[in-house]
Coordinates of all heavy atoms in Angstrom, one line a residue:
L1 N -33.9 -184.8 111.5 CA -34.2 -184.3 110.2 C -32.9 -184.0 109.4 O -32.0 -183.5 110.0 CB -35.0 -183.0 110.4 CG -35.5 -182.3 109.2 CD1 -36.6 -183.1 108.5 CD2 -36.1 -180.9 109.5
S2 N -33.0 -184.3 108.1 CA -31.8 -184.0 107.3 C -32.4 -183.4 106.0 O -33.6 -183.4 105.7 CB -31.0 -185.3 107.0 OG -31.8 -186.2 106.2
I3 N -31.4 -182.9 105.2 CA -31.9 -182.4 103.8 C -31.7 -183.5 102.8 O -30.6 -184.0 102.6 CB -31.0 -181.1 103.5 CG1 -31.3 -180.0 104.5 CG2 -31.4 -180.7 102.0 CD1 -30.5 -178.8 104.3
E4 N -32.8 -183.9 102.3 CA -32.8 -185.0 101.3 C -31.9 -184.6 100.0 O -31.2 -185.3 99.5 CB -34.2 -185.3 100.8 CG -34.4 -186.4 99.8 CD -34.1 -187.8 100.4 OE1 -34.3 -188.0 101.6 OE2 -33.6 -188.6 99.6
G5 N -32.1 -183.3 99.7 CA -31.4 -182.8 98.5 C -32.2 -181.7 97.8 O -33.3 -181.3 98.2
I6 N -31.5 -181.2 96.8 CA -32.1 -180.1 96.0 C -32.4 -180.7 94.6 O -31.6 -181.4 94.0 CB -31.2 -178.9 95.9 CG1 -31.1 -178.2 97.2 CG2 -31.6 -177.9 94.8 CD1 -30.0 -177.1 97.3
V7 N -33.6 -180.4 94.1 CA -33.9 -180.8 92.7 C -34.2 -179.6 91.9 O -35.0 -178.7 92.3 CB -35.0 -181.9 92.6 CG1 -36.3 -181.4 93.3 CG2 -35.3 -182.3 91.2
F8 N -33.6 -179.4 90.7 CA -33.9 -178.3 89.9 C -35.1 -178.5 89.0 O -35.2 -179.6 88.3 CB -32.7 -177.9 89.0 CG -31.5 -177.3 89.8 CD1 -30.5 -178.1 90.3 CD2 -31.6 -176.0 90.2 CE1 -29.5 -177.6 91.0 CE2 -30.6 -175.4 90.9 CZ -29.5 -176.2 91.4
T9 N -36.0 -177.5 88.9 CA -37.2 -177.6 88.1 C -37.2 -176.5 87.0 O -36.4 -175.6 87.1 CB -38.4 -177.5 88.9 OG1 -38.4 -176.2 89.5 CG2 -38.5 -178.5 90.0
M10 N -38.0 -176.7 86.0 CA -38.2 -175.7 84.9 C -36.8 -175.4 84.3 O -36.5 -174.3 84.0 CB -38.8 -174.5 85.5 CG -40.2 -174.8 86.1 SD -41.0 -173.3 86.8 CE -41.9 -174.0 88.1
Y11 N -36.1 -176.5 84.1 CA -34.7 -176.3 83.4 C -34.9 -176.2 81.9 O -35.6 -177.0 81.3 CB -33.9 -177.6 83.8 CG -32.5 -177.5 83.3 CD1 -31.5 -177.0 84.1 CD2 -32.1 -178.0 82.0 CE1 -30.1 -176.9 83.6 CE2 -30.8 -177.9 81.5 CZ -29.8 -177.4 82.3 OH -28.5 -177.3 81.9
D12 N -34.2 -175.2 81.4 CA -34.3 -174.9 80.0 C -32.8 -175.0 79.4 O -32.0 -174.1 79.6 CB -34.8 -173.5 79.7 CG -35.1 -173.3 78.2 OD1 -34.5 -174.1 77.4 OD2 -35.8 -172.4 77.8
G13 N -32.6 -176.2 78.8 CA -31.2 -176.4 78.3 C -30.8 -175.5 77.2 O -29.6 -175.5 76.9
R14 N -31.7 -174.7 76.6 CA -31.3 -173.8 75.5 C -30.7 -172.5 76.0 O -30.2 -171.7 75.3 CB -32.5 -173.5 74.7 CG -33.2 -174.7 74.0 CD -34.6 -174.4 73.5 NE -35.4 -173.8 74.5 CZ -36.6 -173.4 74.3 NH1 -37.2 -173.3 73.1 NH2 -37.4 -172.9 75.3
T15 N -30.8 -172.3 77.3 CA -30.3 -171.0 77.9 C -29.1 -171.2 78.8 O -29.0 -172.3 79.4 CB -31.4 -170.3 78.7 OG1 -31.6 -171.1 79.9 CG2 -32.7 -170.2 78.0
N16 N -28.2 -170.3 78.7 CA -27.0 -170.3 79.6 C -27.5 -170.2 81.1 O -26.8 -170.7 82.0 CB -26.1 -169.2 79.3 CG -25.3 -169.5 78.0 OD1 -25.1 -170.6 77.7 ND2 -24.9 -168.4 77.3
L17 N -28.6 -169.4 81.3 CA -29.0 -169.1 82.7 C -29.3 -170.4 83.5 O -28.8 -170.5 84.6 CB -30.3 -168.2 82.6 CG -30.8 -167.9 84.0 CD1 -29.8 -167.0 84.8 CD2 -32.2 -167.1 83.9
S18 N -30.0 -171.3 82.9 CA -30.3 -172.6 83.6 C -29.0 -173.2 84.2 O -28.9 -173.6 85.3 CB -31.1 -173.5 82.8 OG -32.5 -173.1 82.7
S19 N -28.0 -173.4 83.3 CA -26.8 -174.1 83.7 C -26.0 -173.3 84.7 O -25.4 -173.8 85.6 CB -26.0 -174.5 82.5 OG -25.7 -173.4 81.7
Q20 N -26.1 -171.9 84.5 CA -25.4 -171.0 85.5 C -26.0 -171.2 86.9 O -25.3 -171.2 87.9 CB -25.4 -169.6 85.0 CG -24.5 -169.3 83.8 CD -24.7 -167.9 83.2 OE1 -25.6 -167.2 83.6 NE2 -24.0 -167.6 82.2
V21 N -27.3 -171.2 86.9 CA -28.0 -171.3 88.2 C -27.6 -172.6 88.9 O -27.3 -172.7 90.1 CB -29.6 -171.3 88.0 CG1 -30.3 -171.7 89.3 CG2 -30.0 -169.9 87.6
V22 N -27.6 -173.7 88.1 CA -27.2 -175.0 88.7 C -25.8 -175.0 89.3 O -25.6 -175.4 90.4 CB -27.3 -176.1 87.6 CG1 -26.8 -177.4 88.2 CG2 -28.8 -176.3 87.2
E23 N -24.9 -174.4 88.5 CA -23.5 -174.3 89.0 C -23.4 -173.4 90.2 O -22.6 -173.7 91.1 CB -22.6 -173.8 87.9 CG -22.4 -174.8 86.7 CD -22.1 -176.2 87.1 OE1 -21.2 -176.4 88.0 OE2 -22.8 -177.2 86.7
N24 N -24.1 -172.3 90.2 CA -24.1 -171.4 91.3 C -24.6 -172.0 92.6 O -24.0 -171.9 93.6 CB -25.0 -170.2 90.9 CG -24.8 -169.0 91.9 OD1 -23.8 -169.0 92.6 ND2 -25.7 -168.1 91.9
V25 N -25.7 -172.7 92.5 CA -26.2 -173.4 93.7 C -25.3 -174.5 94.2 O -25.0 -174.6 95.4 CB -27.6 -174.0 93.4 CG1 -28.1 -174.8 94.6 CG2 -28.6 -172.8 93.2
K26 N -24.7 -175.3 93.3 CA -23.8 -176.3 93.7 C -22.6 -175.7 94.4 O -22.0 -176.3 95.3 CB -23.3 -177.1 92.4 CG -24.4 -178.1 91.9 CD -23.8 -178.9 90.7 CE -24.8 -179.9 90.3 NZ -24.4 -180.6 89.1
A27 N -22.2 -174.6 93.9 CA -21.0 -173.9 94.5 C -21.2 -173.3 95.9 O -20.3 -173.1 96.7 CB -20.4 -172.8 93.6
N28 N -22.5 -173.0 96.2 CA -22.8 -172.3 97.4 C -23.5 -173.1 98.5 O -23.7 -172.6 99.6 CB -23.7 -171.1 97.0 CG -22.9 -170.0 96.4 OD1 -22.2 -169.2 97.1 ND2 -22.9 -169.8 95.1
V29 N -24.0 -174.3 98.2 CA -24.6 -175.1 99.2 C -23.9 -176.4 99.4 O -23.3 -177.0 98.5 CB -26.1 -175.4 98.9 CG1 -26.9 -174.1 98.8 CG2 -26.3 -176.2 97.6
D30 N -23.9 -176.9 100.7 CA -23.2 -178.1 101.0 C -24.1 -179.2 101.2 O -24.1 -179.9 102.3 CB -22.3 -177.8 102.3 CG -21.4 -179.0 102.5 OD1 -21.0 -179.7 101.6 OD2 -21.0 -179.2 103.7
V31 N -25.1 -179.4 100.3 CA -26.0 -180.5 100.4 C -26.1 -181.2 99.1 O -25.6 -180.7 98.1 CB -27.4 -180.0 100.8 CG1 -27.4 -179.3 102.2 CG2 -28.0 -179.1 99.8
R32 N -26.7 -182.4 99.1 CA -26.9 -183.1 97.8 C -27.7 -182.4 96.8 O -28.8 -181.8 97.1 CB -27.6 -184.5 98.2 CG -27.8 -185.3 97.0 CD -28.6 -186.6 97.3 NE -28.7 -187.5 96.2 CZ -29.4 -188.6 96.2 NH1 -29.9 -189.0 97.3 NH2 -29.4 -189.4 95.1
V33 N -27.2 -182.4 95.6 CA -28.0 -181.8 94.5 C -28.2 -183.0 93.5 O -27.3 -183.7 93.1 CB -27.2 -180.7 93.7 CG1 -28.0 -180.2 92.5 CG2 -27.0 -179.5 94.7
Y34 N -29.5 -183.3 93.3 CA -29.8 -184.4 92.4 C -29.3 -184.2 91.0 O -29.4 -183.1 90.5 CB -31.4 -184.7 92.4 CG -31.8 -185.5 93.6 CD1 -32.2 -184.8 94.8 CD2 -31.9 -186.8 93.6 CE1 -32.6 -185.5 95.9 CE2 -32.3 -187.6 94.7 CZ -32.7 -186.9 95.8 OH -33.1 -187.6 96.9
D35 N -28.8 -185.3 90.4 CA -28.4 -185.2 89.0 C -29.5 -185.0 88.1 O -29.4 -184.3 87.0 CB -27.7 -186.6 88.6 CG -26.4 -186.8 89.4 OD1 -25.7 -185.8 89.8 OD2 -26.0 -187.9 89.6
T36 N -30.7 -185.5 88.4 CA -31.9 -185.4 87.5 C -32.4 -183.9 87.6 O -32.5 -183.4 88.7 CB -33.0 -186.3 88.0 OG1 -32.5 -187.6 88.0 CG2 -34.2 -186.2 87.1
V37 N -32.6 -183.3 86.5 CA -33.2 -182.0 86.4 C -34.6 -182.1 85.7 O -34.7 -182.9 84.8 CB -32.3 -180.9 85.7 CG1 -31.1 -180.6 86.5 CG2 -32.0 -181.3 84.3
I38 N -35.5 -181.3 86.2 CA -36.9 -181.4 85.6 C -37.0 -180.3 84.5 O -36.8 -179.1 84.8 CB -37.9 -181.2 86.7 CG1 -37.7 -182.2 87.9 CG2 -39.3 -181.4 86.1 CD1 -37.7 -183.6 87.5
P39 N -37.2 -180.7 83.3 CA -37.2 -179.6 82.2 C -38.5 -178.8 82.2 O -39.5 -179.2 82.8 CB -37.2 -180.5 80.9 CG -37.9 -181.8 81.3 CD -37.5 -182.0 82.8
R40 N -38.4 -177.7 81.6 CA -39.7 -176.9 81.2 C -40.4 -177.8 80.2 O -39.8 -178.2 79.2 CB -39.3 -175.6 80.6 CG -39.0 -174.5 81.6 CD -39.1 -173.1 80.9 NE -38.7 -172.1 81.9 CZ -39.6 -171.6 82.8 NH1 -40.8 -172.0 82.8 NH2 -39.2 -170.7 83.6
N41 N -41.7 -178.0 80.5 CA -42.4 -179.0 79.7 C -43.9 -178.6 79.7 O -44.5 -178.6 80.7 CB -42.2 -180.4 80.2 CG -42.7 -181.5 79.4 OD1 -43.8 -182.0 79.7 ND2 -42.0 -181.9 78.3
I42 N -44.4 -178.4 78.5 CA -45.8 -178.0 78.3 C -46.8 -179.1 78.9 O -47.7 -178.8 79.6 CB -46.2 -177.8 76.8 CG1 -45.4 -176.8 76.2 CG2 -47.7 -177.5 76.7 CD1 -45.6 -175.4 76.7
R43 N -46.5 -180.3 78.7 CA -47.3 -181.4 79.2 C -47.4 -181.5 80.7 O -48.4 -181.7 81.3 CB -46.8 -182.8 78.6 CG -46.9 -182.9 77.1 CD -48.4 -183.0 76.7 NE -48.5 -183.1 75.2 CZ -49.0 -182.2 74.5 NH1 -49.3 -181.0 75.0 NH2 -49.1 -182.3 73.2
L44 N -46.2 -181.2 81.3 CA -46.1 -181.1 82.8 C -47.1 -180.1 83.3 O -47.7 -180.2 84.3 CB -44.7 -180.8 83.3 CG -43.8 -182.0 83.6 CD1 -42.4 -181.4 84.1 CD2 -44.4 -182.8 84.7

């Protein structure tokens, strides 16, 4: 078993918080973080 990776969901590019969370996780975990982020989206 391995860790496939982390994918960020409900990303809101208008807030500093979303990008801070991404950077925080990248700095604290030693696993793959997917480049693709899933945005907050009404249709979803």
Side-chain angles (χ1 to χ4, degrees):
L1 185 67
S2 63
I3 297 174
E4 181 72 29
I6 290 170
V7 58
F8 287 99
T9 62
M10 304 178 207
Y11 184 89
D12 188 343
R14 298 167 304 175
T15 68
N16 287 333
L17 179 62
S18 281
S19 53
Q20 284 169 0
V21 168
V22 171
E23 292 311 313
N24 192 16
V25 170
K26 283 181 177 176
N28 284 282
V29 298
D30 189 25
V31 298
R32 177 184 185 181
V33 177
Y34 278 90
D35 293 331
T36 306
V37 293
I38 310 302
R40 278 196 182 278
N41 185 262
I42 300 291
R43 296 287 180 254
L44 265 180

